[in-house]
Amino acid sequence: MVCLGNICRSPIAEGVMRHKIEQYQLSWNVDSAGTESMHVGQAPHQYSQKVCKVKGIDISTQKARQISLEDLEKYDKIYAMADDVFDDILRIGKDSPHMKKVDYFLNELKSGSYGSVPDPWYGDEEAFLPVYEMIDETCEAIVKKYNKKKHV
Ligand code: 4NP
């Protein structure tokens, strides 16, 4: 799950997907990262933490980090949460043989939509709930699509 700062959107996506992995007992690994380094080492934004906590998901121990070429190798799917993030990943991984793993996160909610999860960084607390809901709906769609156990 990749956004710009790994402080607002992708930490929510990591927490929500980790919660679903436990709920549906999947043998998946999820992590998140940012394309930028400015918040590396920081905990998620206080409102990202809060919107998750209200839903019973604790993301307080997550730490922001920057995406690396090893991530492109390690993970089967790399989800860009927005179009500028997608472009940044293309730039970072331009010589990587793994670039076909990179997709728009919201394409899993609506195929071919190439949409962006709105960046709540400049918004107030209310901006974080619709972002959470969009992320939750998309993570649920991802589980439905790729869960081989099919008991969802
Ligand atoms: P994120 O949000 O990419 O969802 O973590 C942002 C966080 C910080 C900044 C921009 C977006 N920033 O400009 O510092």
Side-chain angles (χ1 to χ4, degrees):
M1 306 297 190
V2 188
C3 64
L4 287 177
N6 193 208
I7 208 93
C8 296
R9 292 165 292 182
S10 61
I12 298 176
E14 178 186 336
V16 166
M17 186 55 94
R18 181 162 291 123
H19 188 73
K20 290 186 190 298
I21 287 169
E22 284 169 19
Q23 183 186 355
Y24 295 123
Q25 299 177 348
L26 305 173
S27 53
W28 296 1
N29 289 319
V30 63
D31 204 350
S32 64
T35 54
E36 304 286 344
S37 63
M38 63 249 181
H39 295 287
V40 165
Q42 294 178 14
H45 191 287
Q46 59 165 327
Y47 294 146
S48 291
Q49 291 194 41
K50 197 169 167 186
V51 77
C52 285
K53 195 173 178 189
V54 166
K55 307 285 184 180
I57 300 171
D58 179 7
I59 62 167
S60 64
T61 58
Q62 291 182 28
K63 293 275 176 285
R65 67 183 188 89
Q66 192 172 18
I67 191 171
S68 68
L69 290 174
E70 289 74 52
D71 290 316
L72 300 178
E73 196 177 322
K74 179 174 176 188
Y75 291 97
D76 299 320
K77 289 278 179 187
I78 310 288
Y79 288 122
M81 315 225 45
D83 49 10
D84 51 349
V85 175
F86 188 84
D87 292 345
D88 281 348
I89 300 172
L90 289 190
R91 183 176 46 75
I92 292 163
K94 65 181 180 337
D95 298 322
S96 166
H98 302 287
M99 293 311 288
K100 58 182 177 302
K101 299 175 179 178
V102 184
D103 194 8
Y104 279 62
F105 179 68
L106 289 181
N107 278 352
E108 298 288 21
L109 184 62
K110 189 167 185 291
S111 180
S113 67
Y114 298 96
S116 295
V117 178
D119 184 355
W121 173 251
Y122 298 103
D124 52 19
E125 186 174 353
E126 284 73 51
F128 285 71
L129 183 59
V131 165
Y132 176 94
E133 286 172 343
M134 192 181 280
I135 289 171
D136 182 62
E137 206 182 340
T138 306
C139 286
E140 193 69 24
I142 291 170
V143 170
K144 286 216 157 61
K145 182 172 172 184
Y146 295 103
N147 176 17
K148 299 275 190 303
K149 295 182 181 172
K150 297 291 180 203
H151 63 240
V152 176

